[in-house]
């Protein structure tokens, strides 16, 4: 199952996320998001700043490095992107996806304590409204972080 997850499912999720939240083509050149509603999907606080093309390019390169198994580079780029997204006060769902994906990179690097910290951060970010009253997840990152944290704990022994 893990092999299928790594070969098929995760790259597909990375592609879909990048397509949904990162600008491309002429819109990217103009600095506009592909779909404004896709860029700001979760609860948004005051002071949220749209990322520049250069800032979104760092995220694109991080996902590409992860997909290409250039894990050290992916970790560095995700860390840079996360720091930028914090400064821009980006929505929790975007932050959650970045932390979760960096955690996935760190699991692949066998850096389980750091991966667990990233998954804990996702769960903390989403805990206030990650679950709807009917028990279903409000964000896909929320339940996935629990599963991934379990894998990181397994790696910790």
């Amino acid at each position: 199952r893990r092999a299928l997850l790594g070969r098929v499912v995760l790259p597909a999720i990375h592609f879909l996320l990048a397509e949904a939240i990162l600008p491309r083509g002429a819109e990217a050149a103009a600095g506009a998001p592909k779909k404004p509603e896709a860029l700001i999907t979760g609860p948004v606080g005051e002071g949220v700043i749209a990322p520049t093309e250069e800032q979104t390019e760092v995220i694109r390169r991080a996902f590409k490095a992860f997909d290409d198994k250039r894990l050290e580079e992916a970790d560095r780029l995700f860390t840079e992107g996360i720091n930028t997204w914090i400064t821009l006060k980006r929505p929790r769902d975007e932050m959650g996806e970045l932390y979760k994906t960096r955690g996935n990179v760190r699991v692949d690097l066998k850096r389980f304590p750091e991966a667990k910290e990233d998954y804990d951060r996702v769960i903390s970010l989403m805990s206030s409204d990650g679950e709807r009253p009917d028990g279903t997840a409000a964000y896909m990152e929320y339940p996935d972080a629990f599963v991934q944290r379990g894998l990181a704990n397994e790696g910790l022994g």
Side-chain angles (χ1 to χ4, degrees):
R1 288 183 186 187
R2 285 187 190 169
L4 177 65
L5 183 69
R7 284 192 333 261
V8 178
V9 177
L10 290 177
I13 291 169
H14 298 160
F15 173 78
L16 292 172
L17 176 72
E19 287 297 308
I21 70 168
L22 299 176
R24 300 251 182 212
E27 292 168 327
K34 183 177 177 188
K35 297 177 186 174
E37 68 276 7
L39 202 66
I40 303 175
T41 56
V44 178
E46 290 190 34
V48 174
I49 303 166
T52 66
E53 174 56 27
E54 293 81 22
Q55 292 165 329
T56 57
E57 183 60 29
V58 169
I59 301 298
R60 263 194 222 103
R61 289 184 10 238
F63 278 105
K64 176 77 171 125
F66 185 32
D67 289 341
D68 292 345
K69 302 297 181 206
R70 292 178 282 127
L71 301 175
E72 292 292 342
E73 178 183 356
D75 184 64
R76 181 182 56 76
L77 290 168
F78 275 115
T79 300
E80 181 181 340
I82 286 167
N83 290 335
T84 299
W85 255 230
I86 289 169
T87 302
L88 298 175
K89 300 179 183 175
R90 299 305 301 159
R92 286 188 307 240
D93 59 335
E94 291 179 20
M95 294 300 305
E97 182 61 32
L98 293 175
Y99 277 114
K100 182 177 65 75
T101 307
R102 184 177 70 178
N104 295 344
V105 169
R106 289 174 169 181
V107 163
D108 287 355
L109 287 167
K110 310 255 184 275
R111 291 173 25 201
F112 300 113
E114 291 171 277
K116 185 181 178 301
E117 287 177 18
D118 281 342
Y119 299 133
D120 287 343
R121 178 71 54 92
V122 175
I123 292 166
S124 175
L125 282 168
M126 300 293 168
S127 66
S128 67
D129 64 349
E131 192 173 308
R132 294 185 182 111
D134 66 359
T136 60
Y139 307 100
M140 72 175 201
E141 297 84 1
Y142 191 59
D144 193 37
F146 284 99
V147 172
Q148 298 299 329
R149 183 174 67 177
L151 293 173
N153 281 329
E154 185 179 305
L156 288 169

PDB file of all heavy atoms in Angstrom, residues 10 18 39 41 49 59 78 82 88 93 96-98 100 117 132 140 150 157:
ATOM      1  N   LEU A  10       0.315  10.113  -4.004  1.00  0.00           N
ATOM      2  CA  LEU A  10       0.943  11.374  -3.582  1.00  0.00           C
ATOM      3  C   LEU A  10       1.312  12.282  -4.754  1.00  0.00           C
ATOM      4  O   LEU A  10       1.019  13.479  -4.706  1.00  0.00           O
ATOM      5  CB  LEU A  10       2.152  11.109  -2.691  1.00  0.00           C
ATOM      6  CG  LEU A  10       1.818  10.561  -1.303  1.00  0.00           C
ATOM      7  CD1 LEU A  10       3.087  10.260  -0.534  1.00  0.00           C
ATOM      8  CD2 LEU A  10       0.940  11.511  -0.525  1.00  0.00           C
ATOM      9  N   ALA A  18      -0.982  21.821  -6.710  1.00  0.00           N
ATOM     10  CA  ALA A  18      -0.247  22.858  -7.436  1.00  0.00           C
ATOM     11  C   ALA A  18      -1.131  23.503  -8.492  1.00  0.00           C
ATOM     12  O   ALA A  18      -1.111  24.717  -8.685  1.00  0.00           O
ATOM     13  CB  ALA A  18       1.006  22.268  -8.073  1.00  0.00           C
ATOM     14  N   LEU A  39      -7.141  30.043  -4.262  1.00  0.00           N
ATOM     15  CA  LEU A  39      -5.954  30.444  -3.527  1.00  0.00           C
ATOM     16  C   LEU A  39      -6.285  30.700  -2.062  1.00  0.00           C
ATOM     17  O   LEU A  39      -5.493  30.450  -1.177  1.00  0.00           O
ATOM     18  CB  LEU A  39      -5.356  31.694  -4.161  1.00  0.00           C
ATOM     19  CG  LEU A  39      -3.900  31.938  -3.860  1.00  0.00           C
ATOM     20  CD1 LEU A  39      -3.048  30.851  -4.478  1.00  0.00           C
ATOM     21  CD2 LEU A  39      -3.461  33.273  -4.382  1.00  0.00           C
ATOM     22  N   THR A  41      -8.926  29.441   0.277  1.00  0.00           N
ATOM     23  CA  THR A  41     -10.036  28.522   0.421  1.00  0.00           C
ATOM     24  C   THR A  41     -10.494  28.342   1.854  1.00  0.00           C
ATOM     25  O   THR A  41     -11.628  27.992   2.085  1.00  0.00           O
ATOM     26  CB  THR A  41      -9.660  27.135  -0.136  1.00  0.00           C
ATOM     27  OG1 THR A  41      -8.480  26.694   0.523  1.00  0.00           O
ATOM     28  CG2 THR A  41      -9.421  27.192  -1.626  1.00  0.00           C
ATOM     29  N   ILE A  49      -1.953  38.284   2.498  1.00  0.00           N
ATOM     30  CA  ILE A  49      -1.284  38.874   1.339  1.00  0.00           C
ATOM     31  C   ILE A  49      -1.125  37.812   0.274  1.00  0.00           C
ATOM     32  O   ILE A  49      -0.721  36.685   0.568  1.00  0.00           O
ATOM     33  CB  ILE A  49       0.096  39.435   1.746  1.00  0.00           C
ATOM     34  CG1 ILE A  49      -0.062  40.457   2.871  1.00  0.00           C
ATOM     35  CG2 ILE A  49       0.823  40.007   0.546  1.00  0.00           C
ATOM     36  CD1 ILE A  49       1.245  40.818   3.565  1.00  0.00           C
ATOM     37  N   ILE A  59       7.256  27.204  -4.141  1.00  0.00           N
ATOM     38  CA  ILE A  59       6.363  26.098  -3.792  1.00  0.00           C
ATOM     39  C   ILE A  59       6.291  25.094  -4.939  1.00  0.00           C
ATOM     40  O   ILE A  59       6.356  23.882  -4.721  1.00  0.00           O
ATOM     41  CB  ILE A  59       4.961  26.622  -3.436  1.00  0.00           C
ATOM     42  CG1 ILE A  59       5.013  27.607  -2.264  1.00  0.00           C
ATOM     43  CG2 ILE A  59       4.014  25.456  -3.151  1.00  0.00           C
ATOM     44  CD1 ILE A  59       5.527  27.042  -0.973  1.00  0.00           C
ATOM     45  N   PHE A  78      10.406  23.563   0.792  1.00  0.00           N
ATOM     46  CA  PHE A  78       9.178  23.628   1.584  1.00  0.00           C
ATOM     47  C   PHE A  78       9.372  24.498   2.816  1.00  0.00           C
ATOM     48  O   PHE A  78       8.488  25.274   3.173  1.00  0.00           O
ATOM     49  CB  PHE A  78       8.684  22.231   1.984  1.00  0.00           C
ATOM     50  CG  PHE A  78       7.848  21.577   0.930  1.00  0.00           C
ATOM     51  CD1 PHE A  78       8.283  20.428   0.302  1.00  0.00           C
ATOM     52  CD2 PHE A  78       6.622  22.117   0.542  1.00  0.00           C
ATOM     53  CE1 PHE A  78       7.520  19.817  -0.685  1.00  0.00           C
ATOM     54  CE2 PHE A  78       5.855  21.522  -0.442  1.00  0.00           C
ATOM     55  CZ  PHE A  78       6.302  20.365  -1.059  1.00  0.00           C
ATOM     56  N   ILE A  82       7.140  27.646   3.523  1.00  0.00           N
ATOM     57  CA  ILE A  82       6.362  27.753   4.755  1.00  0.00           C
ATOM     58  C   ILE A  82       6.674  29.070   5.453  1.00  0.00           C
ATOM     59  O   ILE A  82       5.764  29.780   5.897  1.00  0.00           O
ATOM     60  CB  ILE A  82       6.641  26.547   5.678  1.00  0.00           C
ATOM     61  CG1 ILE A  82       5.947  25.293   5.120  1.00  0.00           C
ATOM     62  CG2 ILE A  82       6.198  26.830   7.114  1.00  0.00           C
ATOM     63  CD1 ILE A  82       6.391  23.997   5.764  1.00  0.00           C
ATOM     64  N   LEU A  88       3.108  35.923   4.921  1.00  0.00           N
ATOM     65  CA  LEU A  88       1.970  36.410   4.130  1.00  0.00           C
ATOM     66  C   LEU A  88       0.632  36.166   4.817  1.00  0.00           C
ATOM     67  O   LEU A  88      -0.410  36.580   4.299  1.00  0.00           O
ATOM     68  CB  LEU A  88       1.967  35.737   2.748  1.00  0.00           C
ATOM     69  CG  LEU A  88       3.182  36.002   1.864  1.00  0.00           C
ATOM     70  CD1 LEU A  88       3.091  35.167   0.581  1.00  0.00           C
ATOM     71  CD2 LEU A  88       3.315  37.481   1.549  1.00  0.00           C
ATOM     72  N   ASP A  93      -5.606  26.174   5.564  1.00  0.00           N
ATOM     73  CA  ASP A  93      -5.579  24.983   4.711  1.00  0.00           C
ATOM     74  C   ASP A  93      -4.332  24.962   3.839  1.00  0.00           C
ATOM     75  O   ASP A  93      -3.733  23.905   3.619  1.00  0.00           O
ATOM     76  CB  ASP A  93      -6.851  24.836   3.878  1.00  0.00           C
ATOM     77  CG  ASP A  93      -7.125  26.019   2.961  1.00  0.00           C
ATOM     78  OD1 ASP A  93      -6.668  27.128   3.252  1.00  0.00           O
ATOM     79  OD2 ASP A  93      -7.806  25.808   1.946  1.00  0.00           O
ATOM     80  N   GLY A  96      -1.526  24.127   6.213  1.00  0.00           N
ATOM     81  CA  GLY A  96      -1.623  22.718   6.558  1.00  0.00           C
ATOM     82  C   GLY A  96      -1.080  21.813   5.473  1.00  0.00           C
ATOM     83  O   GLY A  96      -0.359  20.847   5.750  1.00  0.00           O
ATOM     84  N   GLU A  97      -1.405  22.117   4.235  1.00  0.00           N
ATOM     85  CA  GLU A  97      -0.915  21.289   3.128  1.00  0.00           C
ATOM     86  C   GLU A  97       0.600  21.387   3.005  1.00  0.00           C
ATOM     87  O   GLU A  97       1.276  20.383   2.756  1.00  0.00           O
ATOM     88  CB  GLU A  97      -1.569  21.707   1.816  1.00  0.00           C
ATOM     89  CG  GLU A  97      -1.142  20.873   0.630  1.00  0.00           C
ATOM     90  CD  GLU A  97      -1.472  19.387   0.745  1.00  0.00           C
ATOM     91  OE1 GLU A  97      -2.487  19.044   1.361  1.00  0.00           O
ATOM     92  OE2 GLU A  97      -0.691  18.575   0.220  1.00  0.00           O
ATOM     93  N   LEU A  98       1.157  22.568   3.208  1.00  0.00           N
ATOM     94  CA  LEU A  98       2.613  22.713   3.118  1.00  0.00           C
ATOM     95  C   LEU A  98       3.324  21.965   4.243  1.00  0.00           C
ATOM     96  O   LEU A  98       4.305  21.261   4.003  1.00  0.00           O
ATOM     97  CB  LEU A  98       3.006  24.189   3.107  1.00  0.00           C
ATOM     98  CG  LEU A  98       2.574  24.973   1.868  1.00  0.00           C
ATOM     99  CD1 LEU A  98       2.920  26.443   2.030  1.00  0.00           C
ATOM    100  CD2 LEU A  98       3.196  24.398   0.616  1.00  0.00           C
ATOM    101  N   LYS A 100       2.110  19.432   5.937  1.00  0.00           N
ATOM    102  CA  LYS A 100       1.883  18.000   5.740  1.00  0.00           C
ATOM    103  C   LYS A 100       2.814  17.437   4.683  1.00  0.00           C
ATOM    104  O   LYS A 100       3.421  16.378   4.867  1.00  0.00           O
ATOM    105  CB  LYS A 100       0.426  17.739   5.345  1.00  0.00           C
ATOM    106  CG  LYS A 100       0.099  16.260   5.173  1.00  0.00           C
ATOM    107  CD  LYS A 100      -1.360  16.038   4.858  1.00  0.00           C
ATOM    108  CE  LYS A 100      -1.769  16.595   3.547  1.00  0.00           C
ATOM    109  NZ  LYS A 100      -1.357  15.851   2.371  1.00  0.00           N
ATOM    110  N   GLU A 117       6.574  16.494  14.099  1.00  0.00           N
ATOM    111  CA  GLU A 117       6.329  17.900  14.450  1.00  0.00           C
ATOM    112  C   GLU A 117       5.485  18.587  13.382  1.00  0.00           C
ATOM    113  O   GLU A 117       4.579  19.363  13.701  1.00  0.00           O
ATOM    114  CB  GLU A 117       7.649  18.653  14.621  1.00  0.00           C
ATOM    115  CG  GLU A 117       8.399  18.309  15.878  1.00  0.00           C
ATOM    116  CD  GLU A 117       9.749  19.023  15.962  1.00  0.00           C
ATOM    117  OE1 GLU A 117       9.956  20.031  15.242  1.00  0.00           O
ATOM    118  OE2 GLU A 117      10.592  18.569  16.746  1.00  0.00           O
ATOM    119  N   ARG A 132     -16.325  18.916  10.930  1.00  0.00           N
ATOM    120  CA  ARG A 132     -17.698  19.445  10.892  1.00  0.00           C
ATOM    121  C   ARG A 132     -18.517  18.801  12.010  1.00  0.00           C
ATOM    122  O   ARG A 132     -18.142  17.763  12.553  1.00  0.00           O
ATOM    123  CB  ARG A 132     -18.317  19.129   9.538  1.00  0.00           C
ATOM    124  CG  ARG A 132     -17.646  19.852   8.392  1.00  0.00           C
ATOM    125  CD  ARG A 132     -18.396  19.582   7.080  1.00  0.00           C
ATOM    126  NE  ARG A 132     -17.713  20.236   5.984  1.00  0.00           N
ATOM    127  CZ  ARG A 132     -17.058  19.607   5.016  1.00  0.00           C
ATOM    128  NH1 ARG A 132     -17.019  18.286   4.978  1.00  0.00           N
ATOM    129  NH2 ARG A 132     -16.464  20.279   4.063  1.00  0.00           N
ATOM    130  N   MET A 140      -9.162  18.376   3.777  1.00  0.00           N
ATOM    131  CA  MET A 140      -8.559  17.063   3.518  1.00  0.00           C
ATOM    132  C   MET A 140      -7.250  16.889   4.281  1.00  0.00           C
ATOM    133  O   MET A 140      -6.848  15.773   4.578  1.00  0.00           O
ATOM    134  CB  MET A 140      -8.354  16.833   2.028  1.00  0.00           C
ATOM    135  CG  MET A 140      -7.244  17.633   1.407  1.00  0.00           C
ATOM    136  SD  MET A 140      -7.039  17.150  -0.308  1.00  0.00           S
ATOM    137  CE  MET A 140      -5.383  17.712  -0.586  1.00  0.00           C
ATOM    138  N   GLY A 150       0.750   8.875  12.252  1.00  0.00           N
ATOM    139  CA  GLY A 150       0.864   7.481  12.656  1.00  0.00           C
ATOM    140  C   GLY A 150       2.042   6.790  12.004  1.00  0.00           C
ATOM    141  O   GLY A 150       2.781   6.026  12.636  1.00  0.00           O
ATOM    142  N   GLY A 157       9.526   4.120  16.150  1.00  0.00           N
ATOM    143  CA  GLY A 157       9.700   2.831  16.848  1.00  0.00           C
ATOM    144  C   GLY A 157       8.962   2.839  18.098  1.00  0.00           C
ATOM    145  O   GLY A 157       8.823   2.343  19.028  1.00  0.00           O
TER     146      GLY A 157
END
